[in-house]
Amino acid sequence: MADFKSVPEQLSIIRRGTVEIIPEDELVSKLARSRAEGRPLRIKQGFDPTAPDIHLGHTIGLSKLKQFQDLGHTIVVIVGDYTGMVGDPSDQASTRRRLGYDEVMRNAQTYLDQFFKVLDRDRTEIHRNSEWFSKMSFNDVMDLASRYTVAKVMARNDFKERFDSGKPISIHEIFYILMQGYDSVAIKADVEIGATEQKFNLLAGRDLQTSYGQEMQVALTFPVLTGVCGTRRMSKSIGNYIGVSEEADSMFGKVMSIPDSILREWMDLLSGLPPDEIETLLDPSRTNPRDAKDRLGRIIVTRYKDADQAESASLNFRKVFSGKELPEDMPEVEVQAGTVWIVDLLRNAGLAQSGGEAKRLVSQGGVTIIRGESQERITSPDAKVEPQDGDIIKVGKRKYAKLVLLRH
């Protein structure tokens, strides 16, 4: 039989970084029964692989799952290969673009690789919801649809606002709610976790479990992480994110760039440190905010890379941004001799992923060409430049590339 901590001890850990536990008294009962029977609870979270990489905002849920895992409970991760083709309508002002199955599955593989930077692979159940949805007949689908009402769907603010404003709501979006809820039925979840924006979907899972004669899961919500900009939620589309697959120097530098106003939030949600240690780091009379960010940056880079890379990233940051030195190990990029459009140069150097991103970086004054002792900031997206051998391109505060000129 499993040896579980006392219910108060478990609850103290679970509450940390949690917005709501719905309802908490049911969680207490489940924990008590689990401890008495030596049976771990089944803790569920679903991920829709709608993009190839995950960022630190996604890891909030993974960290909560790890807490449950360390308490001895069973973690069940649902990779939404079917729900991912629909897309979660939560907080959407319009219908999402449907993804193809092959695209979703390519994204899913990178998700799985990144999940286990946080979770213990050997103690995690992984399911794709195609395991049950691909086997459903149309009669099964109609039966599932009969267990939920349009009135409940229209209680969602986002759907109501779209309906009232005359914007379309596709039937497949409504099915997303049923599909995510049915995932909980399929794996008999005791607890489901999700960001605050997922609350409606989590509660739908409770309703469907009751309809199928199961004990209702407890819904646990956690906050949405503020992005590195300090004002808006972390999002790849906004560009204010830190990806878990980023290079160590980039990851560390972005942590150092966050405004002091969100340092407590990031410490609470990302550091994994005890509360008393966090309080010491956040007390300006005892710790400089720069040193607190350095500690947090090292923790994050160590978690997703390793301790050596974290130490190196910290040293490089101090060299470049405190001592104003250039990094020693910047990548070298081969370019053709002659005049080139700055947008093409940034894309070819791997300093921008698209022409749109390159134009935005230039327009914001974030692109500088360093040639010997001189520096030229490029401010026009239409600019043409003539690279020289050994030129260094600096993008933002952290990205550098050294140009190697090719001549025919």
Side-chain angles (χ1 to χ4, degrees), residues 152-220:
K152 285 183 177 178
V153 171
M154 294 310 296
R156 286 177 58 136
N157 288 335
D158 45 10
F159 279 167
K160 186 177 185 304
E161 288 171 3
R162 283 163 62 182
F163 183 82
D164 291 344
S165 63
K167 294 180 178 178
I169 302 170
S170 174
I171 296 296
H172 80 280
E173 294 181 275
I174 295 174
F175 263 93
Y176 182 92
I177 302 168
L178 299 177
M179 293 168 75
Q180 180 167 321
Y182 188 80
D183 287 347
S184 296
V185 176
I187 59 99
K188 297 182 173 61
D190 290 303
V191 177
E192 181 175 11
I193 73 169
T196 49
E197 63 190 21
Q198 291 289 315
K199 179 178 175 180
F200 190 99
N201 294 334
L202 272 56
L203 296 179
R206 284 171 58 85
D207 290 341
L208 287 175
Q209 283 180 311
T210 298
S211 176
Y212 281 94
Q214 293 183 9
E215 182 179 292
M216 289 188 291
Q217 66 185 16
V218 170
L220 185 152

Side-chain angles (χ1 to χ4, degrees), residues 108 235 336 383:
S235 168
Q336 293 290 341

Side-chain angles (χ1 to χ4, degrees), residues 74-316:
T74 300
I75 302 309
V76 185
V77 171
I78 307 294
V79 177
D81 54 344
Y82 264 47
T83 46
M85 290 190 290
V86 176
D88 184 3
S90 297
D91 289 340
Q92 294 296 305
S94 60
T95 301
R96 280 183 180 268
R97 175 181 73 89
R98 285 200 66 197
L99 300 181
Y101 189 76
D102 289 344
E103 183 179 0
V104 170
M105 290 308 295
R106 285 194 300 271
N107 295 341
Q109 186 55 54
T110 63
Y111 266 48
L112 290 173
D113 293 340
Q114 294 166 30
F115 284 161
F116 297 114
K117 294 178 182 290
V118 179
L119 298 175
D120 183 339
R121 185 186 297 267
D122 294 334
R123 295 190 294 143
T124 303
E125 281 187 30
I126 297 288
H127 294 279
R128 293 176 172 83
N129 50 27
S130 59
E131 292 174 27
W132 37 91
F133 289 130
S134 65
K135 298 172 184 174
M136 279 189 169
S137 67
F138 191 70
N139 188 56
D140 295 327
V141 173
M142 288 193 294
D143 177 67
L144 173 57
S146 72
R147 297 169 184 267
Y148 210 73
T149 68
V150 173
K152 285 183 177 178
V153 171
M154 294 310 296
R156 286 177 58 136
N157 288 335
D158 45 10
F159 279 167
K160 186 177 185 304
E161 288 171 3
R162 283 163 62 182
F163 183 82
D164 291 344
S165 63
K167 294 180 178 178
I169 302 170
S170 174
I171 296 296
H172 80 280
E173 294 181 275
I174 295 174
F175 263 93
Y176 182 92
I177 302 168
L178 299 177
M179 293 168 75
Q180 180 167 321
Y182 188 80
D183 287 347
S184 296
V185 176
I187 59 99
K188 297 182 173 61
D190 290 303
V191 177
E192 181 175 11
I193 73 169
T196 49
E197 63 190 21
Q198 291 289 315
K199 179 178 175 180
F200 190 99
N201 294 334
L202 272 56
L203 296 179
R206 284 171 58 85
D207 290 341
L208 287 175
Q209 283 180 311
T210 298
S211 176
Y212 281 94
Q214 293 183 9
E215 182 179 292
M216 289 188 291
Q217 66 185 16
V218 170
L220 185 152
T221 64
F222 50 81
V224 175
L225 185 68
T226 302
V228 296
C229 63
T231 56
R232 302 175 67 183
R233 60 175 293 173
M234 184 171 286
S235 168
K236 294 192 76 172
S237 61
I238 298 173
N240 64 346
Y241 70 98
I242 299 177
V244 301
S245 60
E246 284 189 35
E247 294 298 323
D249 283 346
S250 174
M251 189 179 287
F252 185 88
K254 287 182 179 180
V255 174
M256 295 299 293
S257 76
I258 67 171
D260 294 351
S261 59
I262 63 169
L263 184 54
R264 175 175 289 278
E265 174 192 341
W266 278 45
M267 278 288 185
D268 286 340
L269 296 176
L270 299 172
S271 73
L273 295 173
D276 57 345
E277 190 169 350
I278 290 176
E279 290 304 319
T280 298
L281 288 169
L282 294 175
D283 182 350
S285 68
R286 303 167 73 181
T287 309
N288 187 302
R290 182 185 62 249
D291 295 331
K293 292 175 190 177
D294 182 274
R295 178 71 188 284
L296 179 61
R298 287 170 182 257
I299 290 171
I300 290 172
V301 175
T302 299
R303 183 178 299 151
Y304 301 110
K305 305 297 179 182
D306 57 50
D308 289 341
Q309 291 187 64
E311 175 68 18
S312 175
S314 177
L315 290 173
N316 286 341

Side-chain angles (χ1 to χ4, degrees), residues 12-26:
S12 175
I13 293 169
I14 294 167
R15 281 177 179 150
R16 185 178 171 196
T18 298
V19 176
E20 286 187 281
I21 300 174
I22 310 170
E24 187 169 303
D25 61 338
E26 287 186 18

